[in-house]
Amino acid sequence: GWNNAKFEQVPLLLTLGPKPEYKLGNIVIPYHNSRPEFKPSVLQTQSLTKRTIALAYFYGTATPRKTRPEFQQVVNTEYTDSSFRGMPFVVQRIKQWTDKRQEYVYQTYRQSIFCPCLPGDNAPQKRFFDVIMSGCLPVVLSFESRVEGKRSWFKPKRASVESSYPFSKGVFDESLEIDYESFVVQVPDSVDNIKPTLEALLANPEELVRRQTNMMKYAVRLSYGTGKDAHKYDD
């Protein structure tokens, strides 16, 4: 962590990320979601055993980013009923978001094991935090970042994980940090590699449980305790 003397010399800036690499005074915070099931007290009761869908991915922009239609094309040509050990999967473009469709999306997240978070306008995305707090393992594309030896989950030679995600390991004190690599599913470079990566994890139940357990250990730190949950949890 940084000592108080250093903080006193710089302005404090809260950002949704990314921030300049390791810039003092810049703190990346999670996107806020006020849904009642994302309160810290509810997150602690999240079930990981009743997951009936292997993969869930929704996208809905009028002009989808490049990787999103690419992923849809791969799904259309390579994914079959026998993929993911026969478990169903959902990949769907939603052209018009309504309250009913939003409820369907969140319900599907809560039933799914893996939820891809493909590159969008920025790193990270609100989706990343929503799926974690829904108990669904985030799946990201992993590239070399602009910092030697560091990875980016956005685009090649762009912001590192450490500068893009809240409370990243190696940036904060160990008691506050989140070890994203202990649960996030990293897929090298291309959407073509998503299916074999996930099928390998499904074939290794112990590793799957390890990632899920680590994810839920950190999920509360990405939530915002308000009302009766205020000042009670490590949020």
Side-chain angles (χ1 to χ4, degrees), residues 9-29:
Q9 299 173 21
V10 294
L12 180 63
L13 174 64
L14 302 182
T15 175
L16 294 173
K19 66 182 181 66
E21 303 289 340
Y22 307 111
K23 183 176 180 180
L24 294 176
N26 286 26
I27 299 178
V28 182
I29 60 175

Side-chain angles (χ1 to χ4, degrees), residues 6-52:
K6 290 183 179 179
F7 270 120
E8 289 173 356
Q9 299 173 21
V10 294
L12 180 63
L13 174 64
L14 302 182
T15 175
L16 294 173
K19 66 182 181 66
E21 303 289 340
Y22 307 111
K23 183 176 180 180
L24 294 176
N26 286 26
I27 299 178
V28 182
I29 60 175
Y31 280 76
H32 177 254
N33 192 317
S34 60
R35 293 180 65 85
E37 67 265 30
F38 291 162
K39 288 186 176 181
S41 57
V42 180
L43 284 174
Q44 293 191 333
T45 66
Q46 182 75 257
S47 172
L48 293 173
T49 56
K50 298 177 181 178
R51 303 272 156 173
T52 57

Side-chain angles (χ1 to χ4, degrees), residues 78-160:
E78 299 183 15
Y79 288 35
T80 68
D81 291 341
S82 61
S83 300
F84 309 117
R85 299 196 156 196
M87 294 182 68
F89 56 89
V90 179
V91 177
Q92 183 178 346
R93 181 178 179 184
I94 298 180
K95 295 182 180 180
Q96 184 176 2
W97 289 86
T98 64
D99 290 344
K100 184 176 181 180
R101 284 175 178 157
Q102 187 177 64
E103 289 301 320
Y104 163 68
V105 168
Y106 282 110
Q107 181 181 15
T108 305
Y109 285 162
R110 291 194 295 272
Q111 295 174 336
S112 302
I113 299 174
F114 301 112
C115 291
C117 299
L118 302 181
D121 294 331
N122 298 296
Q125 306 171 62
K126 180 176 177 293
R127 176 201 309 263
F128 181 84
F129 305 104
D130 289 349
V131 302
I132 290 174
M133 292 189 289
S134 297
C136 188
L137 289 169
V139 180
V140 302
L141 299 184
S142 179
F143 311 96
E144 288 287 342
S145 77
R146 61 190 175 202
V147 179
E148 185 177 356
K150 301 293 183 181
R151 305 300 292 177
S152 173
W153 295 341
F154 182 39
K155 294 179 181 179
K157 302 300 180 182
R158 298 294 291 273
S160 69

Side-chain angles (χ1 to χ4, degrees), residues 59-69 93:
Y59 63 104
T61 58
T63 54
R65 299 300 175 262
K66 179 181 178 182
T67 52
R68 301 178 183 187
R93 181 178 179 184

